[in-house]
């Protein structure tokens, strides 16, 4: 029976002398250790070496752990965790060899070279066996500039503009070569002997990718973490390699890397999570990998090329402009992007899956898109403001996704019953808008005030981002202030403090300075500085008032809530709270 897990404490000389041929798989991110991390590793080695030499006792120095996928009795080892450490150690080995080459120290060259590669034999057709093979994109560069003799000198002297892993190779090679050269010759030899004979790594190996990732997730607390997208990438590229060959796998590895570069790792991961929801239409119950395997048709049917070409690539294009609100079209683009920008201000992203599906299906129909995102904004702010729970939110958007996916659906909003709000829901929405939005709706208050600001200002004027919310009537007005004369009833004062009418957006730098001042002084603080006009219409309106009284706030509240009611089409017929009956009372 094949072993499922092995963990061994291995000396560096055992790791780099042939038992393992490390390969950094396509799904790994570029080499990313900075000079700070490389310097820390070098300094730790020097300190440990000196300690060991001073004590006179040989003690093993632990350099951490690596996680690999490796079959029993075969040297080929795919690195799940440990790329950063193994690569940096290889650069250090190359630096030691280079120094000894410069001084002609043949014993040192002969000793360290097998840790970089096993010499090939052209006569026997035996290829050079490199101890570490970098990512596909960097294999040749790493070999010629680090592992091959003389390469490190050319790399350091090069003035080529490098990026990502290649820049890190050069920066760390320069650092490590410089620090090694600064050591006395005896210390350099001692460092090499200490590194080879007294330093170790725990090598955790398993033949199974998912088991390796589980181990990695638990043990890894150093270096740069893998993300779920790396594991999905490994699976997908592995399927392509199996079904279409190595060349296709390399091509699609480049395609995958380009998508990751365009979106960024975090947002690529977010996209895969949204796709899981598009297909599963339920709250996540397992790992991303398992749920994609279970729910995404192309994944489940092992059609990896279709998965990339027909699912990931087109949805990545849509996600790119959905997250940035920068859709381009010959008409309605500005309207669509405005709705997207306000959706992106909401603190949850459950609206994204149906948005992606609708965009993918009706991308060439901007008029329909504008209508859809207007309605999606309203539904989303209803769920936000009425504090609907996450499970109900997910179910609501899942139902919307199902409606959009129906073959009979032609894009009209009237067909999407999930987007409609009932009169009861509209009244609930308005009641929440008319209430305490500051304390009761902490996750919605900023988005609400800024949405209101955007609706009362001139079209096309952009909002600034460095914003805070200010209570005009302070939360704790001081004794003897005008505030207490205008609001002598504490209950009434408390009732108004956190409502829309009393909240205004401010430049964040001005917020604390306004504090609990009386109204006249507070207005001056709001508008002092360059010019006299606040960039916010809601805040400018405060300046035009002589007093801040309950009567004025009633009018302001009705007007501001009315703006939101009109924008989100929340008007409903009046209701009779008491049924009409013959009036039998006598007036007194």
């Amino acid at each position: 029976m094949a072993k499922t897990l092995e963990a061994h404490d291995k000396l560096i000389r055992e790791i780099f002398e042939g038992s393992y041929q490390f390969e950094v798989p396509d799904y790994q991110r570029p080499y990313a250790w900075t000079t700070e991390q490389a310097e820390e590793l070098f300094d730790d080695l020097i300190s440990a070496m000196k300690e060991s030499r001073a004590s006179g006792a040989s003690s093993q120095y632990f350099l951490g752990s690596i996680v690999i996928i490796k079959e029993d009795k075969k040297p080929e080892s795919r690195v799940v965790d440990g790329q950063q450490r193994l690569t940096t150690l290889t650069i250090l080995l190359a630096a030691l060899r280079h120094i000894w080459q410069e001084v002609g120290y043949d014993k040192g060259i002969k000793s360290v070279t097998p840790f970089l590669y096993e010499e090939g034999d052209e006569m026997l057709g035996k290829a050079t066996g490199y101890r570490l093979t970098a990512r596909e994109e960097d294999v040749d560069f790493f070999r010629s500039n680090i592992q091959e003799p003389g390469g490190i000198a050319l790399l350091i002297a090069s003035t080529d503009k490098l990026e990502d892993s290649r820049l890190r190779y050069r920066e760390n090679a320069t650092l490590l070569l410089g620090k090694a050269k600064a050591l006395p010759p005896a210390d350099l030899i001692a460092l090499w002997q200490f590194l080879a004979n007294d330093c170790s790594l725990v090598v955790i190996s398993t033949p199974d990718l998912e088991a390796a990732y589980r181990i990695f997730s638990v043990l890894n607390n150093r270096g740069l973490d893998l993300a779920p997208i790396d594991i999905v990438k490994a699976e997908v590229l592995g399927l392509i390699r199996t079904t279409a060959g190595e060349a296709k796998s390399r091509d699609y590895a480049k395609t995958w890397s380009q998508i990751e570069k365009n979106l960024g790792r975090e947002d690529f991961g977010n996209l895969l999570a949204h796709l899981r929801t598009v297909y599963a239409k339920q709250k996540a119950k397992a790992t991303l990998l398992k749920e994609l395997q279970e729910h995404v048709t192309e994944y489940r049917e092992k059609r990896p090329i279709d998965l990339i070409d027909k699912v990931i690539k087109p949805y990545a294009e849509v996600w790119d402009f959905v997250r940035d609100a920068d859709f381009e079209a010959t008409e309605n683009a500005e309207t669509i992007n405005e709705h997207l920008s306000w959706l992106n201000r909401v603190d949850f992203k459950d609206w994204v899956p149906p948005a992606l599906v609708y965009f993918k299906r009706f991308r060439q129909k901007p008029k329909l898109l504008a209508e859809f995102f207007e309605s999606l904004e309203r539904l989303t702010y209803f769920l936000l403001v009425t504090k609907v729970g996450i499970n109900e939110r997910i179910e609501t958007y899942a139902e919307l996704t199902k409606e959009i996916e129906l073959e009979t659906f032609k894009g009209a909003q009237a067909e999407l019953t999930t987007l409609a709000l009932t009169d009861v829901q509209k009244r609930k929405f308005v009641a929440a808008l008319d209430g305490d939005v500051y304390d009761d709706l902490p996750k919605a208050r900023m988005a609400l005030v800024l949405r209101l600001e955007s609706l009362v200002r001139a079209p096309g004027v952009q909002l600034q981002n460095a914003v805070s919310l200010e209570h005009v009537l302070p939360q704790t007005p001081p004794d003897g202030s005008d505030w207490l004369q205008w609001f002598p009833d504490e209950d009434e004062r408390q009732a108004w403090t956190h409502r829309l009418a009393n909240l205004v957006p401010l430049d964040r730098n001005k917020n604390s300075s306004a504090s609990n001042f009386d109204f006249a002084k507070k207005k001056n603080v709001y508008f002092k500085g360059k010019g006299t006009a606040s960039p916010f219409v809601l805040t400018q309106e405060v300046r035009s008032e002589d007093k801040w009284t309950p009567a004025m706030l009633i009018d302001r509240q009705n007007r501001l809530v009315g703006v939101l009611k009109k924008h989100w089409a929340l008007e409903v017929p009046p209701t009779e709270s008491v049924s009409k009956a013959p009036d039998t009372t006598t007036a007194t």
Side-chain angles (χ1 to χ4, degrees), residues 148-384:
E148 292 290 344
I152 199 168
L154 295 174
L155 176 63
I156 291 172
S158 168
T159 57
D160 293 345
K161 184 179 180 181
L162 302 177
E163 296 180 344
D164 298 329
S165 53
R166 299 184 182 195
L167 178 60
R168 302 287 92 77
Y169 294 150
R170 183 165 66 190
E171 290 174 341
N172 288 338
T174 303
L175 171 93
L176 294 172
L177 184 60
K179 292 182 78 71
K181 277 187 172 182
L183 295 175
D187 281 359
L188 196 65
I189 293 172
L191 171 62
W192 162 235
Q193 291 172 338
F194 177 75
L195 178 61
N197 295 321
D198 297 310
C199 293
S200 68
L201 287 165
V202 170
V203 181
I204 303 168
S205 63
T206 171
D208 177 74
L209 175 65
E210 192 167 347
Y213 181 58
R214 283 199 304 270
I215 297 162
F216 158 78
S217 299
V218 173
L219 295 181
N220 188 63
N221 58 6
R222 296 172 64 180
L224 298 172
D225 295 353
L226 283 173
I229 60 169
D230 300 311
I231 305 305
V232 175
K233 180 180 179 181
E235 283 277 308
V236 172
L237 294 180
L239 284 171
I240 293 175
R241 187 179 292 109
T242 301
T243 57
E246 188 67 38
K248 277 288 186 186
S249 179
R250 284 197 297 270
D251 289 343
Y252 277 92
K254 292 175 183 176
T255 300
W256 189 286
S257 295
Q258 189 59 50
I259 296 171
E260 183 178 320
K261 184 177 180 181
N262 290 344
L263 294 179
R265 284 178 60 77
E266 182 177 355
D267 268 344
F268 194 5
N270 290 338
L271 171 64
L272 293 184
H274 291 317
L275 290 180
R276 183 216 70 82
T277 306
V278 165
Y279 283 84
K281 298 177 178 64
Q282 63 184 18
K283 192 174 181 180
K285 296 180 179 179
T287 65
L288 178 64
L289 176 64
K290 284 189 174 181
E291 295 222 332
L292 289 174
Q293 290 171 332
E294 180 179 347
H295 296 291
V296 178
T297 309
E298 291 80 0
Y299 211 146
R300 187 175 63 248
E301 296 178 355
K302 299 191 184 305
R303 292 188 279 120
I305 290 177
D306 283 349
L307 176 67
I308 293 178
D309 287 343
K310 297 181 180 180
V311 179
I312 293 176
K313 277 179 65 177
Y315 274 119
E317 289 179 16
V318 173
W319 174 227
D320 194 20
F321 53 71
V322 165
R323 61 170 185 166
D324 295 331
D326 63 354
F327 176 62
E328 295 182 0
T330 55
E331 58 177 338
N332 292 304
E334 187 176 344
T335 300
I336 294 165
N337 289 329
E338 182 184 12
H339 292 306
L340 286 173
S341 70
W342 291 106
L343 284 163
N344 278 310
R345 287 180 183 265
V346 174
D347 77 312
F348 55 79
K349 298 299 180 190
D350 306 315
W351 58 270
V352 172
L356 294 178
V357 174
Y358 195 95
F359 241 127
K360 184 171 178 284
R361 187 165 181 185
F362 299 103
R363 184 173 176 175
Q364 305 305 322
K365 298 183 178 181
K367 186 175 184 296
L368 290 179
L369 288 169
E371 294 171 356
F372 172 78
F373 281 103
E374 180 180 24
S375 298
L376 186 63
E377 181 196 317
R378 179 176 75 161
L379 173 65
T380 299
Y381 275 78
F382 164 73
L383 297 173
L384 173 69

Side-chain angles (χ1 to χ4, degrees), residues 329-522:
T330 55
E331 58 177 338
N332 292 304
E334 187 176 344
T335 300
I336 294 165
N337 289 329
E338 182 184 12
H339 292 306
L340 286 173
S341 70
W342 291 106
L343 284 163
N344 278 310
R345 287 180 183 265
V346 174
D347 77 312
F348 55 79
K349 298 299 180 190
D350 306 315
W351 58 270
V352 172
L356 294 178
V357 174
Y358 195 95
F359 241 127
K360 184 171 178 284
R361 187 165 181 185
F362 299 103
R363 184 173 176 175
Q364 305 305 322
K365 298 183 178 181
K367 186 175 184 296
L368 290 179
L369 288 169
E371 294 171 356
F372 172 78
F373 281 103
E374 180 180 24
S375 298
L376 186 63
E377 181 196 317
R378 179 176 75 161
L379 173 65
T380 299
Y381 275 78
F382 164 73
L383 297 173
L384 173 69
V385 169
T386 58
K387 297 191 285 190
V388 170
I390 183 173
N391 291 330
E392 186 177 342
R393 279 204 320 260
I394 291 173
E395 289 172 7
T396 299
Y397 288 118
E399 286 302 313
L400 178 57
T401 302
K402 290 176 185 177
E403 290 183 325
I404 297 168
E405 289 177 335
L406 287 173
E407 290 185 15
T408 55
F409 177 58
K410 303 302 181 184
Q413 304 308 294
E415 299 175 62
L416 298 176
T417 58
T418 309
L419 279 180
L421 296 183
T422 66
D423 286 351
V424 171
Q425 288 174 320
K426 290 178 181 178
R427 291 189 183 97
K428 187 176 181 181
F429 196 175
V430 172
L433 293 173
D434 198 26
D436 180 337
V437 299
Y438 191 86
D439 274 352
D440 285 356
L441 304 174
K443 294 181 178 180
R445 62 195 185 198
M446 181 63 77
L448 280 177
V449 172
L450 291 181
R451 190 59 177 123
L452 188 55
E453 170 70 25
S454 73
L455 294 170
V456 298
R457 63 172 47 207
V461 179
Q462 298 297 310
L463 284 171
Q464 62 190 71
N465 288 322
V467 177
S468 61
L469 291 184
E470 173 71 10
H471 295 79
V472 181
L473 164 63
Q475 298 182 69
T476 53
D479 293 339
S481 64
D482 289 342
W483 304 115
L484 296 183
Q485 293 180 34
W486 293 334
F487 294 87
D489 185 280
E490 184 176 355
D491 289 341
E492 184 179 37
R493 187 173 73 246
Q494 292 295 334
W496 277 112
T497 301
H498 298 315
R499 294 171 76 185
L500 280 175
N502 192 53
L503 299 173
V504 293
L506 279 186
D507 181 287
R508 192 170 291 160
N509 295 327
K510 289 189 177 182
N511 180 263
S512 60
S513 62
S515 187
N516 294 338
F517 295 159
D518 271 337
F519 188 54
K521 187 175 181 181
K522 195 166 192 177

